[in-house]
Amino acid sequence: MQDYNIERVGQPDLVFNGDLIGQSAGANRVKLYRTKGGKFIAQLSVDAQRSHAAPFDKPADLITWLKSNLNSITPEAQVAIEEAAKKDEAFKKFWTERVE
C-alpha cells in the first residue's frame, strides 16, 4: 500500500492510502484503486496533472460512474476493469457472469 494524492479538476484533492489494481493507457487513461479501508477509487486523467476522480463503496457504482463520464465502457476502461478483476476479489465477482 502507498499514499496517493490525486489533483482533481474543480474539486479538492483526493488523498488516500491504497493499491493500484487496474490501469490503462491511451487518450482516456483510467486508473482504479482499492483503499486501505476497502473503498474503490476511479481516476480519469484530464492532463498530466489533473484528473476526474471519485471514491465508491462497490465496483458496480464505480463502473456506473465510468460509463457516465466516458459515455460507455471504452476499450481503455475495459482494460483497467479486467486488470482489477484479476487483482481484487470484489471486482472479479462483479465482472464475472456465472451461468449454471
Side-chain angles (χ1 to χ4, degrees):
M1 298 227 162
Q2 70 180 68
D3 292 328
Y4 291 94
N5 182 355
I6 299 173
E7 255 186 71
R8 298 190 288 179
V9 177
Q11 292 184 298
D13 290 358
L14 188 59
V15 178
F16 60 94
N17 182 277
D19 291 317
L20 178 65
I21 60 172
Q23 68 179 331
S24 68
N28 294 315
R29 187 170 183 179
V30 177
K31 289 185 177 181
L32 306 176
Y33 304 88
R34 181 156 188 154
T35 70
K36 184 177 181 179
K39 301 265 187 198
F40 296 95
I41 308 286
Q43 177 184 4
L44 296 173
S45 295
V46 173
D47 58 35
Q49 293 180 327
R50 298 172 304 142
S51 299
H52 295 291
F56 302 94
D57 290 325
K58 53 190 175 185
D61 296 335
L62 182 151
I63 290 170
T64 298
W65 183 84
L66 285 174
K67 285 180 184 177
S68 69
N69 280 276
L70 297 171
N71 297 319
S72 69
I73 296 297
T74 62
E76 291 93 352
Q78 180 91 21
V79 166
I81 291 166
E82 288 177 358
E83 186 177 332
K86 291 176 185 173
K87 295 179 180 176
D88 183 85
E89 194 60 37
F91 254 95
K92 180 179 179 180
K93 188 174 182 180
F94 177 76
W95 200 248
T96 303
E97 183 175 358
R98 183 171 172 84
V99 180
E100 295 187 34

